[in-house]
Amino acid sequence: PHKIAVNLSPVQLGHVDLPRLVHQILLETGLAPTRLELEITETAMISDMERTTHILRQLKALGVSIAMDDFGTGYSSLSTLRAFPFDKIKLDRSFMSELDGGPQSSAIIRAVLALGESLAIPVLAEGVETLEQLSFLRDQGCTEAQGYLLGRPKPVADDLIQLEARTLWTGAAAA
């Protein structure tokens, strides 16, 4: 049921046949398109908004989700949101790290959450590292977060070993 999120660089986004390449990878791996979320930064979009929007619409037609990554750090976030129907907004981690530094960050987080709600686009807060930050987000109605408090990056092999160990343990317990 989990999604796999992949960051697309401006170079990858400019690939001549990106939608066909993504479709081919989905077929080769057997991954359901609904489980793939492609993340792009606003900076990657603004170099050629019309072309990028066309490519993103083709990718979305495959059934994959498109998320705007690092929201709030670009130059024209609101016009970018208007130009393309994103499936998710990922609020840049800098707002979480500055949450204790004054009222501005908390006001911006609240405003982005309200914007997401009014546009029916879920907002994910990046960079959650403390229970206080997570509690603040919950109090504001934010339902998605990521950061070191919730999990640290690790090699895929580690996940597979843990999954196998869990399977063996639950299988042994059931026997």
Side-chain angles (χ1 to χ4, degrees), residues 49-95:
M49 184 75 81
E50 187 176 324
R51 181 183 181 287
T52 304
T53 302
H54 177 71
I55 289 170
L56 293 177
R57 288 187 192 283
Q58 288 179 320
L59 291 167
K60 216 173 159 163
L62 294 174
V64 303
S65 303
I66 308 292
M68 180 188 286
D69 199 10
D70 300 333
F71 184 79
T73 60
Y75 300 105
S76 58
S77 297
L78 298 179
S79 63
T80 306
L81 283 177
R82 186 177 57 200
F84 183 78
F86 287 91
D87 297 298
K88 185 180 291 180
I89 298 169
K90 295 185 75 176
L91 182 63
D92 187 69
R93 70 182 65 253
S94 63
F95 296 105

Side-chain angles (χ1 to χ4, degrees), residues 3-5 7 37 39 66-72 81 86-96 108-109 112-117 120-128 133-134 137-138 141-148 150:
K3 286 197 174 221
I4 296 174
N7 290 319
E37 180 174 273
E39 300 178 0
I66 308 292
M68 180 188 286
D69 199 10
D70 300 333
F71 184 79
L81 283 177
F86 287 91
D87 297 298
K88 185 180 291 180
I89 298 169
K90 295 185 75 176
L91 182 63
D92 187 69
R93 70 182 65 253
S94 63
F95 296 105
M96 293 312 302
I108 290 171
I109 291 168
V112 172
L113 290 169
L115 177 66
E117 184 178 352
I121 303 173
V123 175
L124 179 144
E126 296 180 309
V128 178
Q133 292 169 337
L134 186 60
L137 291 169
R138 282 184 178 149
C142 184
T143 59
E144 296 187 37
Q146 73 181 51
Y148 289 156
L150 305 168

